[in-house]
Amino acid sequence: MIAEGFWYTWVLIPALIFIARVADVSIGTIRIVFVSKGLKLLAPLLGFFEIFIWLLAMTKVFENLDNWFYFIAYSAGFATGNYIGLLIEEKLALGHANLQIITQKSGIELARKLSDEGFGVTWNDANGSRGEVTVIYCVIKRTNFKKVSEIIMKYNPRAFYTIQDIRFANQGVFPMRTIQRTNGYFPWRKGK
């Protein structure tokens, strides 16, 4: 009987508190992303489940304020939930991103390759603190970031680039899965 109470008090309940916190904080992280992307129906639905799970965890903690191990489980679940929520958000990769690439050498070859891969590319020559540069702008789906960064590393590995989330993108050129563009948007290439 004592062993059963021990497992319940010191293992089962703390484990459930930990799991509940991981779940509600992970859901909260995804909900915040949905809010920032303007997903008006999904964000409140996730908010409901986030708070419901949180209330279940908090009830157990408040019922046992003298058990310090519940506080440890609660805090560890919060920290782990943040980490897992960020991993989930990274895997979902919702929305679009604005990529700005600055190259020390001419960026035309890089811009051509990005265009050949189906990405919309805008570029201009500019002056930087160390001389002439090419600035390339490219709005991409976040799911394509790995592919674009591989192209940058292959064709201009010393390029400096930044990426910013975009809440909404109106129109644009994005790679299509079934149609392969061969000439991109460079009029001096054959076929244009």
Side-chain angles (χ1 to χ4, degrees), residues 61 63-69 71:
V61 171
E63 285 176 355
N64 299 284
L65 289 174
D66 58 337
N67 190 333
W68 60 271
F69 201 60
F71 295 106

Side-chain angles (χ1 to χ4, degrees), residues 181-192:
R181 266 194 286 161
T182 56
N183 293 328
Y185 284 106
F186 294 91
W188 56 83
R189 297 186 121 183
K190 293 180 183 177
K192 284 285 184 182

Side-chain angles (χ1 to χ4, degrees), residues 12-185:
L12 181 63
I13 295 300
L16 291 174
I17 290 170
F18 175 82
I19 291 167
R21 285 305 285 160
V22 169
D24 87 79
V25 173
S26 297
I27 290 170
T29 303
I30 303 306
R31 179 186 54 80
I32 290 168
V33 171
F34 285 1
V35 167
S36 72
K37 300 292 181 191
L39 300 172
K40 296 174 185 166
L41 296 177
L42 290 175
L45 182 64
L46 287 178
F48 172 82
F49 289 106
E50 175 189 0
I51 292 303
F52 185 78
I53 295 168
W54 179 82
L55 286 171
L56 293 175
M58 282 306 297
T59 299
K60 279 299 173 194
V61 171
F62 280 133
E63 285 176 355
N64 299 284
L65 289 174
D66 58 337
N67 190 333
W68 60 271
F69 201 60
Y70 289 13
F71 295 106
I72 301 291
Y74 185 88
S75 302
F78 180 81
T80 306
N82 276 291
Y83 180 75
I84 290 174
L86 290 172
L87 288 178
I88 293 169
E89 191 279 330
E90 190 176 287
K91 293 291 183 195
L92 288 174
L94 296 173
H96 296 83
N98 181 30
L99 188 62
Q100 178 179 316
I101 309 162
I102 301 173
T103 66
Q104 292 293 319
K105 63 179 186 177
S106 174
I108 299 301
E109 182 182 5
L110 176 58
R112 282 183 183 152
K113 183 58 181 170
L114 289 168
S115 180
D116 288 346
E117 291 292 324
F119 297 102
V121 178
T122 302
W123 78 95
N124 59 328
D125 294 323
N127 291 308
S129 61
R130 296 188 179 127
E132 294 181 1
V133 297
T134 301
V135 181
I136 302 169
Y137 301 97
C138 190
V139 175
I140 61 172
K141 292 181 180 178
R142 286 190 59 217
T143 54
N144 290 327
F145 177 70
K146 183 177 180 183
K147 181 178 181 180
V148 170
S149 64
E150 288 170 356
I151 293 170
I152 293 169
M153 292 308 293
K154 181 176 181 182
Y155 288 90
N156 203 321
R158 297 193 57 184
F160 170 76
Y161 60 93
T162 60
I163 186 165
Q164 300 169 328
D165 279 335
I166 297 174
R167 181 172 177 177
F168 176 76
N170 182 30
Q171 299 182 2
V173 177
F174 301 101
M176 298 176 75
R177 294 175 193 234
T178 56
I179 299 172
Q180 191 74 348
R181 266 194 286 161
T182 56
N183 293 328
Y185 284 106

